[in-house]
Amino acid sequence: MEGALAAVDRSQLVAAAHLSIRRGSKSFAAASRLFDRTTRERVWLLYAWCRACDDIADEQDHGGPASLGQAETRLPPETRLATIRTLTHRAMAGEETDSPSFDALGVLMQEAPLTTPMVEDVLAGFALDAAEWRPRTEADMLRYCYHVAGAVGVMMAAIMGIPAGDEDTLDRACDLGIAFQLANIVRDVWEDDAAGRCYLPVEWLVEADIPPGEVTKPHYRHALVPLVRRACELARTYEASARLGAARLAFRQRWAVLAAANIYGDIASQVEALGAHAWDHRVHTSRARKAKLVIEAFRQARRGPDPAPRPSLSRRELAALART
């Protein structure tokens, strides 16, 4: 390693990142074990940075409530965003940050073909949340999914060795991140509402006659079901496109990516199947079910993907929306 980060113990960063992914995402942690060692460690390091940014943005601890002391001293969203940007830019410059999660990004910048625009696209998602931005249209919702998850998919592809010039494969990696985020949106409607957020498009809610701020009221549950189905259909379109890109990866990488796709797709399918009861409790995938989905991913990785159309809005189109 070069610069100040040369003094950082990579093995310690990897160990801390492993603990982070085990605490923060059981689904992603399960899929990550299928990667070869080098890819697996880099995936953990990337997750640690993303998790730390997310926790700073929401003043949480691995997606859960922060300690009482932190909750009593909430900082303005713009201050939290400034902290994320400062630590991220220091890590990208090769400086130690005194945070293992941000130092993890610094290590990745030296080991993998990550670029500044890739990182900035992820930071733009935190900026949207800091501004309390809400999607008005379907395109807005997909733009949000792009910044908070699709752009992470692009970084994932880069740490798996996909070069920055392979635009089509990076596009399809982005598509998988978008599919994942759509699954999160439909699963977390109730939790997001409790936090004062809604990521379903305003136009969809208007069409369903669901007033602003009323999305989780019991008498609107049945009206919400078609909107969830619509989001799940979008997720399936993006996931199918992503599977074509996964076919270009090395076998173990392909297997891990398809396992993650199966697990997140299963979450969306469960929410869709439960209809108005989807939010009686938080939908999750059992260990036994995960094992079956991992086995199915192995079969899928061996036989190759089915043909699939490209989504109407993919990475470059969604990135362009952010500039308009």
Side-chain angles (χ1 to χ4, degrees), residues 2 4 8 19 42 47-48 57 90 97 102 113 121 148 155 169 209 219 231 238 247 249 287 290 307:
E2 300 176 356
V8 173
L19 288 174
R42 290 176 178 174
Y47 177 88
R90 283 178 59 190
T97 66
F102 286 89
D121 275 350
V148 302
M155 293 181 72
T169 302
D209 291 324
H219 47 283
Y238 278 92
L249 301 172
R287 285 188 178 182
K290 281 190 181 81

Side-chain angles (χ1 to χ4, degrees), residues 6-77:
V8 173
D9 187 325
R10 186 184 186 280
S11 63
Q12 291 182 1
L13 296 183
V14 169
H18 187 204
L19 288 174
S20 179
I21 197 170
R22 288 176 61 188
R23 287 186 62 193
S25 178
K26 291 181 174 61
S27 294
F28 198 27
S32 73
R33 290 197 293 268
L34 304 176
F35 286 115
D36 60 275
R37 179 176 177 177
T38 298
T39 304
R40 179 169 62 246
E41 290 181 351
R42 290 176 178 174
V43 166
W44 292 345
L45 292 170
L46 178 60
Y47 177 88
W49 170 68
C50 293
R51 178 78 269 168
C53 291
D54 214 22
D55 282 346
I56 292 171
D58 294 336
E59 290 192 320
Q60 294 181 334
D61 181 7
H62 286 80
S67 68
L68 183 60
Q70 290 175 301
E72 290 173 341
T73 57
R74 290 188 65 83
L75 298 172

Side-chain angles (χ1 to χ4, degrees), residues 207-271:
E207 291 172 10
D209 291 324
I210 301 176
E214 301 285 308
V215 68
T216 60
K217 294 293 188 292
H219 47 283
Y220 288 117
R221 276 200 178 199
H222 289 285
L224 190 58
V225 170
L227 308 190
V228 166
R229 186 181 306 118
R230 188 171 174 180
C232 289
E233 289 172 356
L234 275 172
R236 284 190 288 271
T237 299
Y238 278 92
E239 180 188 319
S241 171
R243 287 175 180 271
L244 293 174
R248 301 164 191 168
L249 301 172
F251 179 79
R252 288 192 63 176
Q253 294 176 345
R254 183 163 70 250
W255 182 16
V257 167
L258 293 176
N262 287 351
I263 292 168
Y264 276 87
D266 187 65
I267 289 170
S269 295
Q270 287 187 63
V271 172

Side-chain angles (χ1 to χ4, degrees), residues 106-129:
V107 169
L108 285 175
M109 296 296 294
Q110 296 175 354
E111 293 185 357
L114 298 174
T115 66
T116 297
M118 289 178 185
V119 177
E120 292 294 341
D121 275 350
V122 177
L123 294 181
F126 297 110
L128 290 174
D129 276 335

